[in-house]
Amino acid sequence: MDKLLNLNSKRQRDRKWEDLDPDCLANVFVKVGIESLLLFVPFVCKSWYRASQNPVCWERLVFPDSEEEATDDPWSLDDNAANLPWTYANRIESQSFDYFVRRFAREFQIHWSRFSIPSFIKMVINRSGGNAKFLKIPGICSHYVNAIEKILEHISKNCKGFVGLHVAFAAIGTSEASAIVKFVPNLKYMCFRKSRLEKNDLVMLLKECRELVLLDVRECEGFDERDEEILKLASHIPKFRCKGSKTHVLSDNDLEVAYREIIEIDDE
């Protein structure tokens, strides 16, 4: 019996990561994130490369966190999750995302002047083999001309099971809202937390995206959380969150300019 136990123990010690079943490896790689899947995992060995090509690794495409405090699950509505020490990300959006894409460009010797953010994200989407279901991109992407429209159009053509979009700290204007309605109207999960989102654009989304089960627009600027029309339109959504959202807040500088304009009018 002791010899048998020693033999099994030796076999366990001699097992190598590269000898694991490819499906098991793929299930491990699901947890490592896009940066590792693109820059590290495929270059360890042939078996890891093959496992990293499994579409299951690319179903949830979560790009580096934006300036909000990160959570384990980008679709979580748990405010307390952001305060956990192992989920806190002390980096602002433009730094972390910019670092990631610039590192990718450098590793693959792509001149930065030729690097396209929408094309890069579409390339990552293609890795899913049409199986991408969730996409989280930083809000800074909304500031690239037509970036979100191009990305959503690509998704609509290639990923029929796509159900979730997360873009926090973004500028969601009429063109972005129209692109959502046109290309991915059957979304079930949307998060635009802490974004610039006008009431008319939110109303458009609420009227056209009828399959939503979660819509997170907390702490947005452009509409009031108590707006009766919005609350009525969102009444069918099981998880609708808009706490802290308000119409545009003027900065001290804006208030000073407005005050001067009033004084000038009175003087006239």
Side-chain angles (χ1 to χ4, degrees), residues 38-239:
L38 288 175
L39 299 175
F40 306 114
V41 170
F43 305 104
V44 172
C45 61
K46 291 181 180 180
S47 63
W48 281 34
Y49 169 79
R50 288 192 294 269
S52 71
Q53 302 305 301
N54 190 319
V56 73
C57 298
W58 306 90
E59 289 183 356
R60 294 168 61 92
L61 305 177
V62 180
F63 283 83
D65 292 311
S66 56
E67 65 183 71
E68 82 270 26
E69 295 170 333
T71 63
D72 283 328
D73 186 346
W75 312 102
S76 173
L77 292 175
D78 182 5
D79 289 316
N80 295 324
N83 297 322
L84 298 175
W86 54 84
T87 61
Y88 183 77
N90 189 25
R91 296 181 299 178
I92 64 171
E93 172 182 284
S94 57
Q95 289 178 335
S96 58
F97 183 70
D98 184 69
Y99 172 81
F100 170 50
V101 295
R102 286 180 180 274
R103 180 173 184 176
F104 180 87
R106 184 175 65 251
E107 291 288 340
F108 290 93
Q109 300 181 351
I110 304 172
H111 195 279
W112 187 244
S113 63
R114 295 186 176 184
F115 195 89
S116 165
I117 296 296
S119 296
F120 170 65
I121 294 175
K122 288 194 288 184
M123 179 274 295
V124 175
I125 292 170
N126 288 341
R127 293 290 182 94
S128 76
N131 290 291
K133 296 178 180 179
F134 299 92
L135 174 65
K136 177 182 183 291
I137 55 177
I140 195 173
C141 291
S142 66
H143 298 286
Y144 293 101
V145 178
N146 299 325
I148 290 182
E149 295 95 310
K150 293 176 182 177
I151 292 167
L152 294 181
E153 181 179 10
H154 187 73
I155 287 173
S156 71
K157 294 178 179 178
N158 298 282
C159 305
K160 302 306 179 184
F162 187 76
V163 294
L165 178 65
H166 184 298
V167 195
F169 289 87
I172 306 298
T174 301
S175 59
E176 288 77 21
S178 298
I180 293 171
V181 169
K182 179 179 180 181
F183 297 120
V184 286
N186 298 323
L187 287 178
K188 296 183 182 296
Y189 310 94
M190 279 199 295
C191 177
F192 302 126
R193 191 174 181 184
K194 295 186 178 182
S195 294
R196 181 76 172 267
L197 177 62
E198 297 290 342
K199 175 183 175 179
N200 290 340
D201 297 321
L202 177 56
V203 167
M204 181 199 308
L205 293 172
L206 290 171
K207 286 183 176 180
E208 302 297 333
C209 299
R210 302 298 299 175
E211 296 188 22
L212 285 170
V213 297
L214 183 156
L215 176 57
D216 186 355
V217 287
R218 288 174 289 176
E219 302 176 82
C220 285
E221 183 180 338
F223 67 93
D224 193 284
E225 63 176 305
R226 296 163 295 183
D227 189 288
E228 293 183 0
E229 181 184 8
I230 289 175
L231 294 176
K232 183 178 180 179
L233 288 170
S235 61
H236 70 285
I237 303 175
K239 293 183 179 180

Side-chain angles (χ1 to χ4, degrees), residues 255-268:
L255 290 172
E256 184 178 349
V257 171
Y259 179 69
R260 288 177 180 175
E261 291 177 350
I262 293 173
I263 293 176
E264 290 174 0
I265 292 174
D266 289 341
D267 290 342
E268 292 176 358

